[in-house]
Amino acid sequence: MALSARQIPRWFNSVKLSSFVTAMQLGKRFPRAGKTLLHGVSAQPQMSSGNCFLQWGFKAYRTSSLRNSSQPANPSRQEIGSAQSTLLPSVNEQTPKTQKIPSLDSELPLEALDDLPSLAPLQPVSEEEAIQIIADPPLPPDTFTLRDYVDHSETLQKLVHLGVDLSKIEKHPEAANLLLRLDFEKDIKQILMFLKDLGIEDNQLGPYLTKNYAIFSEDLENLKTRVAYLQSKNFSKAQIAQMVRNAPFLLSFSVERLDNRLGFFQKELELSVKKTRDLVVRLPRLLTGSLEPVKENMKVYRLELGFKHNEIQHMITRVPKMLTANKRKLTETFDYVHNVMNIPHHLIVRFPQVFNTRLFKVKERHLFLTYLGRAQYDPTKPNYISLDKFVSVPDEIFCEEIAKASVQDFEKFLKTL
């Protein structure tokens, strides 16, 4: 049925109000036209079906008004049908420029949800929504200390509880990066269980891991293989644990290197298998340190100090640190003991601990005995003073048993030097 000229304005107002309500509802669900979305994509403004319908209704209103002003008041039935087909299109008809808007009350399929535009990053958030947001704690900025990461890393927290000194580890940037990437349950726990089974006590784990943090980058099977190699060389479990404690990097060396080191000391020093094993148990750093100081000191003992090969063997098995001692300290100590105190080679060989004693201590005690007239180191003469006691006992025993004087007298004498 065609609308009369008086009915069109009333119909036009109702359509306009309906389109306005629809636009307001869509504005809450979709971004505004021309608003920038994620990924730098800008949404272009598009004409909604309601606006198209308003424009079409306005044109129809104008056309009807013109026709009513030029036609008689009682149109024929044919003209009324023609006007109806012109003014009001069928509900089932779709114009090519209009779009079908889904009902806001109907549920969208899951496929359609993927096509919905995401919220703009700067879209205002209500106070209620802001309270419900759960944000992860911010990571600390670039820093030179691991202290800023402890609150954010469960791995670092557990290492601190074990006694690991992070202040020493953070001096090595590669070590700090390694610890931050590790997971305690997956990467660290199995290493800790391996060390405990090896014989490392709980109170020893912290100092050990502080020195050898690189063990976390080692494969567990390789560590077990190296322990099995040492056991095959008749090292007991207690000896292996002692070696690992005193030389934390021992298990970081391959089986080939460990085998080469053992072979070097056995061949170079001409020691038996048992003596070689005892030597490295007492000083396991011989397996992990450089061989250059060892080779240099062997030349010093033989060429500069004049010791024989068997004498060198005896001294280093008694005091293994003589193999890695400072060359200058060795020569100065020998020069004072041999040339000032007049102690021959064979007595020095019997008491090689003198090379492991600070030189100023040897000088102080010898000068005090000389002042008292008791500096007698020849075992064939009376009042003989053993070189072993001379360097090993504390000041109280030295004064009472050797110098036959009081500690106060010794301290007063030292002030005169």
Side-chain angles (χ1 to χ4, degrees):
M1 177 178 179
L3 297 176
S4 64
R6 295 180 179 179
Q7 293 174 331
I8 287 179
R10 186 180 302 171
W11 167 82
F12 177 76
N13 290 333
S14 64
V15 171
K16 183 177 181 181
L17 179 59
S18 175
S19 301
F20 174 76
V21 173
T22 303
M24 290 295 293
Q25 294 176 347
L26 291 176
K28 296 180 180 180
R29 187 178 184 89
F30 301 100
R32 296 179 181 177
K35 193 171 184 178
T36 303
L37 303 178
L38 294 177
H39 310 295
V41 179
S42 177
Q44 299 298 329
Q46 296 181 356
M47 185 71 70
S48 65
S49 60
N51 293 335
C52 293
F53 194 73
L54 288 175
Q55 290 185 359
W56 171 81
F58 181 70
K59 292 179 181 179
Y61 170 73
R62 294 184 58 187
T63 304
S64 176
S65 299
L66 292 175
R67 289 184 179 179
N68 290 335
S69 62
S70 60
Q71 291 181 0
N74 297 323
S76 63
R77 187 181 302 272
Q78 182 178 1
E79 291 174 347
I80 293 175
S82 176
Q84 183 178 3
S85 62
T86 303
L87 296 178
L88 297 177
S90 174
V91 177
N92 296 328
E93 293 179 0
Q94 298 289 339
T95 59
K97 293 184 179 181
T98 61
Q99 295 179 346
K100 183 179 180 181
I101 301 177
S103 174
L104 297 177
D105 296 333
S106 61
E107 296 183 358
L108 295 176
L110 295 178
E111 294 78 4
L113 293 177
D114 297 335
D115 299 333
L116 293 177
S118 57
L119 296 176
L122 299 179
Q123 182 174 349
V125 179
S126 65
E127 184 176 355
E128 292 77 7
E129 295 175 339
I131 295 177
Q132 297 177 358
I133 295 177
I134 301 177
D136 295 331
L139 291 175
D142 294 338
T143 179
F144 295 98
T145 176
L146 286 173
R147 180 179 56 189
D148 297 334
Y149 290 89
V150 173
D151 293 337
H152 307 273
S153 174
E154 180 184 3
T155 298
L156 294 182
Q157 293 173 9
K158 292 186 177 181
L159 289 177
V160 170
H161 292 160
L162 287 173
V164 178
D165 190 348
L166 298 182
S167 64
K168 295 182 179 180
I169 295 180
E170 66 190 13
K171 296 178 181 179
H172 309 278
E174 72 283 355
N177 293 331
L178 171 65
L179 295 183
L180 289 174
R181 292 195 303 267
L182 294 178
D183 181 83
F184 188 86
E185 295 295 331
K186 296 180 180 179
D187 306 318
I188 296 181
K189 189 175 181 180
Q190 57 181 356
I191 300 296
L192 296 179
M193 298 302 297
F194 166 77
L195 293 175
K196 287 182 64 64
D197 293 340
L198 195 61
I200 307 298
E201 302 295 335
D202 292 343
N203 59 349
Q204 298 170 343
L205 286 174
Y208 176 85
L209 296 176
T210 301
K211 295 179 181 179
N212 188 19
Y213 50 81
I215 195 173
F216 294 129
S217 61
E218 295 284 347
D219 184 74
L220 183 59
E221 294 301 322
N222 291 338
L223 297 176
K224 293 180 179 180
T225 301
R226 294 159 191 169
V227 172
Y229 167 77
L230 293 176
Q231 292 175 341
S232 68
K233 296 299 180 180
N234 295 326
F235 288 95
S236 65
K237 185 177 180 180
Q239 289 176 333
I240 296 176
Q242 178 183 343
M243 294 167 63
V244 171
R245 285 193 299 267
N246 296 333
F249 297 99
L250 178 65
L251 295 180
S252 297
F253 292 94
S254 63
V255 171
E256 291 76 12
R257 176 163 180 171
L258 295 177
D259 187 70
N260 291 335
R261 287 299 178 90
L262 290 174
F264 168 81
F265 289 109
Q266 184 176 358
K267 179 180 179 181
E268 184 72 15
L269 304 178
E270 298 181 4
L271 299 175
S272 64
V273 175
K274 183 181 183 303
K275 288 185 176 182
T276 302
R277 184 168 55 247
D278 295 339
L279 178 69
V280 297
V281 168
R282 296 180 62 187
L283 190 64
R285 292 198 306 270
L286 294 174
L287 299 178
T288 61
S290 174
L291 291 178
E292 293 304 319
V294 176
K295 296 177 180 179
E296 185 68 20
N297 287 347
M298 291 294 295
K299 294 179 180 179
V300 170
Y301 294 131
R302 185 169 54 251
L303 301 179
E304 297 184 24
L305 305 185
F307 290 101
K308 299 177 182 179
H309 186 73
N310 62 333
E311 294 176 336
I312 298 174
Q313 285 181 329
H314 178 79
M315 289 190 297
I316 62 175
T317 53
R318 294 283 300 276
V319 186
K321 288 185 178 180
M322 290 180 61
L323 287 172
T324 58
N326 180 269
K327 175 184 175 181
R328 180 179 176 180
K329 179 190 175 188
L330 290 176
T331 55
E332 290 180 351
T333 300
F334 176 82
D335 180 69
Y336 191 86
V337 172
H338 182 67
N339 298 321
V340 177
M341 299 174 62
N342 297 319
I343 299 179
H345 282 76
H346 69 277
L347 289 180
I348 298 177
V349 172
R350 288 177 58 186
F351 308 108
Q353 292 85 353
V354 68
F355 288 108
N356 201 30
T357 307
R358 290 173 292 182
L359 181 58
F360 77 88
K361 182 178 180 180
V362 175
K363 290 182 178 181
E364 290 175 351
R365 292 188 174 186
H366 172 68
L367 292 175
F368 185 59
L369 291 176
T370 303
Y371 171 77
L372 297 176
R374 303 185 62 85
Q376 208 289 95
Y377 309 107
D378 188 352
T380 62
K381 296 180 180 181
N383 299 324
Y384 163 69
I385 296 178
S386 169
L387 190 60
D388 183 22
K389 289 185 177 181
F390 176 84
V391 298
S392 61
V393 297
D395 288 344
E396 292 78 7
I397 298 179
F398 167 76
C399 293
E400 180 180 354
E401 298 183 1
I402 299 178
K404 306 298 181 180
S406 64
V407 178
Q408 291 76 11
D409 293 339
F410 182 52
E411 292 176 349
K412 290 179 180 179
F413 173 78
L414 295 180
K415 294 179 181 180
T416 64
L417 298 179

